[in-house]
């Protein structure tokens, strides 16, 4: 063994001992957090404050107990200058210390001092002398992780390089849910992750650039740096479908954060079960921003300043009179102020009471609060309100609008033409009332719009929106209502827009989200998709009607195979491709046009190859409909009959965009199996 080898072994032994020390300290932290909960130690406050503190202690103890197994640190910084001179700081997914006042054994990756781990370079070392990265493997003998190696970059000497450890971490097999990238965050990603809470950021990310991971890590960073503000408003992660949410579900817990709501917009607006299906024309119209104006008109058409005559309010043996013209002025004034509908109704009530109060006080002096409440609740006041500004449910607005051509014509005049109005109407017999109505997915979006006109919903402190290129204007409005007082992280790729209303410009999306001036930051350097696969996708990108720069890959060439099969022999060719893929390590995704999925699963089953659906994240082989593969990734992708995938969207559809998504799901290898001519 050379002296260099001996020194390396000593360093490895030292780091392993430090990791053991950290594991012991973490166990003590977990036990201590649990003891705080059990004994109530430090909960000196009373009432609501004690309840809040107790909740935080229980949550922290739960988070620490449920941390996924893995290494407790992935990097180390040795500083040559600055406040940390002479100290070695280990960087990990959460802070570990033997005592709150003691120097940390591991520094949280989100702490300000940790930023040098991601940003320091040979030309700008930021006071760092040596940056060390650690290689880990699943632990033996029940341990959480084994330290297998380390690499040093001597930034103080002008040496900086991306080593094998980073490459192995990026390229290791993708079986199971999405992993965090805290160990491999790149400088341009770090800038986005650490953007301030008050900043809305839109990330245009090419496939494999880590945009989803950036959004999730930004969520974790904001929870760390602004815990109280985020806890007050909450943090919402919106994904495109439940499969995607399952795929990303473990990232935040792995970073020590729980309690974040991860949902889809469909779940957030689900007032009723979906029991009706719209045709494409009707769905597109319901997602159109012009429909918001139609709904607003339909709602406020119920406000009628002249619907009531004089109002007489009893006051013991006396009667106070509010003339019809005074009532009409009050209603008209409130209407011009454009408050939420429910707020407007109560504002009218308050001004009627004030009108009566002023006259009563001129006659008999100040009125008591009890007197004011009696006037507010007087039946004549309620009856007048019901006439001039009636209570209404969202369903009571929408059902007549979609079921009655005359009512729709009144609300849509000058907004939608006659043909559009006919397309928007429900087909078949109109329901007798909203209670018997059958609602489509797009109808629920319209109900949410009306609900937002009635009363603003409580907003979140921050919302992360993934696959945002597929949002319609009306979906953007629904999200904007939930983030009226908070910021947004908007993630997507215009080239991957596959809905009929998918955006071709981020400015359009951001305007409907209420953030027209938000910065749009492109990520074009891919760390997931190999060069050959990126090259193929870039050929297809040229045919898409979007202003998106071509991606480039820092990965190796990877493997790309174009396999032409005889007509009718595609299933057999797919079976052969999967068999070959199974000789390698990693996950295999067979992706095809939705109608072809059952036949391919049957062919694989007949060949004795167990294949699951996309929801089985730990399955070795998954057969995935092209419509749900967005956001997922597999080590080896078998893309089946690209022409069928492109044609599945119909004439004038977004089939080529769907195909672009499919081709960019591969982490290492891509097989394209086809009998029909390739559309690229």
């Amino acid at each position: 063994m050379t002296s260099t080898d001996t020194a390396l072994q000593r360093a490895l032994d030292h780091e392993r001992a430090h990791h053991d020390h950290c594991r012991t300290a973490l166990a003590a932290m977990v036990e201590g957090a649990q003891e705080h909960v059990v004994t109530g130690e430090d909960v000196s406050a009373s009432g609501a404050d004690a309840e809040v503190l107790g909740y935080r202690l229980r949550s922290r103890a739960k988070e620490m107990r449920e941390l996924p197994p893995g290494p407790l640190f992935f990097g180390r910084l040795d500083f040559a200058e600055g406040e940390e001179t002479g100290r070695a700081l280990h960087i990990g997914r959460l802070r570990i210390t033997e005592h709150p006042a003691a120097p940390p054994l591991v520094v949280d990756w989100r702490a300000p001092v940790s930023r040098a781990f991601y940003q320091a370079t040979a030309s700008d070392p930021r006071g760092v002398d040596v940056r060390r990265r650690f290689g880990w493997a699943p632990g033996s003998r029940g341990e959480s992780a084994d330290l297998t190696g380390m690499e040093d970059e001597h930034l103080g000497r002008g040496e900086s390089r991306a080593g094998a450890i980073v490459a192995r971490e990026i390229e290791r097999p993708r079986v199971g849910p999405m992993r965090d990238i805290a160990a491999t965050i790149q400088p341009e990603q770090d800038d986005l992750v650490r953007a301030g809470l008050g900043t809305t950021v839109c990330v245009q990310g090419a496939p494999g650039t880590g945009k989803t991971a950036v959004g999730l890590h930004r969520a974790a960073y904001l929870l760390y740096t602004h815990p109280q503000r985020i806890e007050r408003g909450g943090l919402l992660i919106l994904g495109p479908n439940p499969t995607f949410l399952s795929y990303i579900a473990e990232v935040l817990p792995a970073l020590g954060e729980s309690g974040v709501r991860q949902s889809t917009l469909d779940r957030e607006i689900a007032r009723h079960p979906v029991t009706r299906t719209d045709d494409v024309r009707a769905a597109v119209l319901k997602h159109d921003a012009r429909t918001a104006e139609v709904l607003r008109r339909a709602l406020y058409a119920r406000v009628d300043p002249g619907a009531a005559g004089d109002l007489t309010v009893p006051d013991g043996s006396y009667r106070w009179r509010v003339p019809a013209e005074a009532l009409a002025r009050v209603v008209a004034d409130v209407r011009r102020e454009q408050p939420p509908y429910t707020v407007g109704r109560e504002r009218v009530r308050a001004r009627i009471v004030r009108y009566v109060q002023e006259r009563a006080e001129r006659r008999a002096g100040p009125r008591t609060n009890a007197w004011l409440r009696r006037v507010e609740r007087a039946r004549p006041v309620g009856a007048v309100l019901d006439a001039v500004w009636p209570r209404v449910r969202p369903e009571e607005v929408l059902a007549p609008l979609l079921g009655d051509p005359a009512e729709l014509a009144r609300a849509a005049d000058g907004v939608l033409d006659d043909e559009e109005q006919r397309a928007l109407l429900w087909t078949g017999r109109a329901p007798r009332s909203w209670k018997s109505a059958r609602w489509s997915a797009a109808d629920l979006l319209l109900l949410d719009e009306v609900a937002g006109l009635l009363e603003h919903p409580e907003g979140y402190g921050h919302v992360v929106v993934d696959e945002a290129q597929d949002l319609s204007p009306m979906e953007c409005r629904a999200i904007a209502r939930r983030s009226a007082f908070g910021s947004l992280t908007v993630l997507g790729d215009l080239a991957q827009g596959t809905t009929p209303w998918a955006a071709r410009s981020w400015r359009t999306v951001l305007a409907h989200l209420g953030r027209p001036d938000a910065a749009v930051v492109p990520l074009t350097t891919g760390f997931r998709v190999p060069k050959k696969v990126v090259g193929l996708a870039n050929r297809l990108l040229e045919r898409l009607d979007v202003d998106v720069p071509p991606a480039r890959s820092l990965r190796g060439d990877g493997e790309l195979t174009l396999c032409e099969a005889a007509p009718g022999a595609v299933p057999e060719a797919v079976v052969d491709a999967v068999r070959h893929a199974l000789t390698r390590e990693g996950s295999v995704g067979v992706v095809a046009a939705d109608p072809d999925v059952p036949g391919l699963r049957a062919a694989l089953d007949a060949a004795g190859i167990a294949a699951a659906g996309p929801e089985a994240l730990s399955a070795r082989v998954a057969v995935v409909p092209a419509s749900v593969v967005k956001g997922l990734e597999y080590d080896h992708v078998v893309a089946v009959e690209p022409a069928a995938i492109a044609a599945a969207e119909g004439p004038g559809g977004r089939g080529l965009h769907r195909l672009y998504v499919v081709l960019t799901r591969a982490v290492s290898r891509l097989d394209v199996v086809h009998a029909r001519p390739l559309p690229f």
Side-chain angles (χ1 to χ4, degrees):
M1 181 179 292
T2 66
S3 59
T4 301
D5 292 337
T6 302
L8 177 60
Q9 187 60 50
R10 282 201 302 266
L12 280 170
D13 290 343
H14 177 77
E15 297 291 5
R16 286 170 179 147
H18 183 69
H19 193 255
D20 291 341
H21 188 187
C22 291
R23 187 182 291 117
T24 301
L26 178 61
M29 289 171 63
V30 173
E31 183 178 351
Q34 185 61 38
E35 286 178 357
H36 279 311
V37 175
V38 173
T39 65
E41 185 180 346
D42 292 339
V43 185
S44 57
S46 61
D49 289 341
E51 184 177 345
V52 169
L53 184 52
Y55 170 79
R56 288 178 180 169
L57 289 170
R58 288 192 299 275
S59 299
R60 186 58 179 161
K62 182 174 183 291
E63 289 168 4
M64 293 170 68
R65 286 197 309 273
E66 295 180 356
L67 277 173
L72 301 182
F73 53 81
F74 50 77
R76 171 176 146 169
L77 295 175
D78 292 358
F79 286 88
E81 57 187 56
E83 296 181 5
E84 304 294 342
T85 300
R87 287 189 60 197
L89 297 182
H90 287 78
I91 313 298
R93 288 168 177 81
L94 78 163
R95 186 178 191 270
I96 299 175
T97 182
E98 295 175 289
H99 186 274
L105 299 172
V106 176
V107 178
D108 194 296
W109 67 276
R110 295 165 290 189
V113 71
S114 300
R115 189 163 199 189
F117 184 78
Y118 302 107
Q119 296 283 350
T121 64
S123 58
D124 181 17
R126 300 193 173 207
V128 176
D129 184 29
V130 179
R131 174 168 54 204
R132 174 171 290 176
R133 302 182 191 272
F134 297 99
W136 298 90
S140 58
R141 303 180 307 280
E143 300 293 345
S144 61
D146 284 336
L147 176 58
T148 58
M150 60 188 191
E151 293 176 342
D152 288 346
E153 294 175 89
H154 294 273
L155 303 181
R157 303 178 194 166
E159 300 175 7
S160 179
R161 57 185 172 80
I165 285 178
V166 174
R168 284 197 301 270
E169 174 63 22
I170 291 174
E171 297 181 12
R172 65 188 170 104
R174 257 71 170 174
V175 177
M178 182 180 181
R179 303 187 297 264
D180 71 84
I181 61 165
T184 59
I185 292 173
Q186 301 300 302
E188 63 272 25
Q189 295 172 325
D190 186 63
D191 289 336
L192 294 167
V193 166
R194 296 176 191 263
L197 177 59
T199 304
T200 288
V201 175
C202 176
V203 180
Q204 160 56 45
T209 55
K211 56 184 176 295
T212 297
V214 164
L216 294 171
H217 285 68
R218 186 182 183 203
Y221 174 78
L222 293 177
L223 286 162
Y224 175 85
T225 52
H226 305 281
Q228 293 181 339
R229 288 179 63 184
I230 293 294
E231 282 178 13
R232 282 199 301 269
L235 197 150
L236 174 66
I237 309 286
L238 285 177
N241 54 57
T243 300
F244 178 82
L245 292 178
S246 297
Y247 181 60
I248 68 170
E250 293 187 11
V251 173
L252 287 174
L255 297 170
E257 299 294 350
S258 62
V260 175
R261 181 166 177 78
Q262 299 190 32
S263 185
T264 64
L265 186 58
D266 288 345
R267 288 179 185 172
E268 296 298 296
I269 66 173
R271 296 174 63 93
H272 300 282
V274 173
T275 55
R276 177 193 293 268
T277 302
D278 290 316
D279 61 31
V280 174
R281 177 66 166 151
V284 168
L285 282 169
K286 290 176 182 179
H287 281 266
D288 192 313
R290 294 176 298 160
T291 308
E293 173 61 17
V294 175
L295 296 171
R296 188 193 65 79
R297 289 184 183 183
L299 173 62
Y300 282 96
R302 296 168 178 265
V303 175
D304 186 356
D310 293 351
L311 167 64
T312 301
V313 182
D315 183 12
S317 60
Y318 202 82
R319 299 289 184 272
W320 298 105
R321 176 176 171 272
V322 183
E325 57 270 21
L327 280 172
R329 282 197 303 273
V330 166
V331 175
D333 288 346
V334 172
R335 179 72 180 81
R336 280 193 294 271
E337 293 165 7
Q338 299 183 338
Y341 186 92
T342 303
V343 173
R345 175 183 163 90
E346 293 309 308
R347 197 172 288 179
V348 170
R349 185 198 301 272
R351 293 184 188 180
I352 290 172
V353 172
R354 187 191 307 163
Y355 183 95
V356 174
Q357 179 186 8
E358 289 172 352
R359 279 143 188 81
E361 290 181 344
R362 282 201 297 266
R363 179 176 181 272
R367 305 286 88 185
T368 65
N369 288 336
W371 182 92
L372 290 171
R373 286 195 295 272
R374 282 199 305 274
V375 174
E376 286 176 351
R377 297 170 183 171
R379 286 187 178 180
V381 173
V384 163
L385 272 176
D386 288 342
V388 300
W389 202 296
R391 286 191 182 93
V392 66
R393 296 171 177 266
E395 293 84 353
E396 293 171 327
V397 175
L398 186 59
L401 193 68
L402 299 181
D404 184 345
E407 184 147 350
L408 178 58
R410 285 191 294 271
D413 183 39
V415 180
L416 303 176
D417 62 30
D418 292 344
E419 182 183 345
E420 289 173 324
Q421 291 177 33
R422 285 192 295 273
L424 199 60
L425 286 166
W426 282 336
T427 57
R429 177 182 293 182
R432 290 186 176 183
S433 78
W434 67 266
K435 294 181 180 179
S436 59
R438 296 169 57 238
W439 307 101
S440 70
D443 291 339
L444 299 187
L445 192 59
L446 303 188
L447 287 173
D448 192 76
E449 178 75 23
V450 179
L453 292 170
L454 290 172
E455 193 167 9
H456 292 320
E458 292 186 11
Y460 288 86
H462 190 79
V463 179
V464 178
V465 189
D466 208 347
E467 303 297 350
Q469 75 281 345
D470 280 332
L471 295 174
S472 70
M474 293 294 280
E475 288 173 322
C476 288
R477 291 172 63 88
I479 295 169
R481 287 190 290 274
R482 288 159 173 79
S483 59
F485 304 106
S487 54
L488 290 164
T489 300
V490 182
L491 311 166
D493 178 8
L494 295 177
Q496 297 185 54
T498 54
T499 58
W501 40 79
R504 287 179 168 82
S505 164
W506 283 119
R507 285 295 152 213
T508 301
V509 174
L510 292 169
H512 289 300
L513 286 170
R515 306 295 194 282
D517 299 324
V520 179
V521 181
L523 291 179
T524 58
T525 302
F527 307 98
R528 172 175 59 81
V529 185
K531 287 181 181 177
K532 286 185 177 179
V533 177
V534 167
L536 180 66
N538 282 340
R539 283 166 48 189
L540 184 58
L541 181 64
E542 297 173 359
R543 298 188 56 189
L544 307 183
D545 183 22
V546 289
D547 184 15
V548 172
R552 66 188 187 95
S553 176
L554 291 185
R555 295 284 308 280
D557 285 343
E559 296 180 24
L560 171 63
T561 303
L562 304 180
C563 175
E564 185 173 3
V570 167
E572 291 81 358
V574 170
V575 169
D576 289 343
V578 173
R579 279 201 178 113
H580 179 68
L582 288 173
T583 64
R584 312 284 193 88
E585 191 178 15
S587 56
V588 182
V590 179
V591 188
D594 293 30
D596 296 338
V597 165
L600 290 171
R601 289 195 68 167
L604 290 167
D605 184 62
I609 299 174
E615 68 284 347
L617 298 177
S618 297
R620 185 73 197 283
V621 179
V623 182
V624 187
S627 63
V628 299
V629 77
K630 189 175 296 181
L632 304 181
E633 56 185 20
Y634 300 91
D635 291 286
H636 192 130
V637 168
V638 180
V640 184
E641 204 61 272
I645 294 172
E649 305 294 320
R654 311 273 296 193
L656 290 177
H657 294 258
R658 181 82 69 193
L659 178 58
Y660 181 83
V661 173
V662 171
L663 296 179
T664 55
R665 300 305 93 200
V667 174
S668 298
R669 301 175 295 280
L670 172 64
D671 288 343
V672 179
V673 178
H674 68 102
R676 297 163 59 179
L678 293 173
F680 47 77

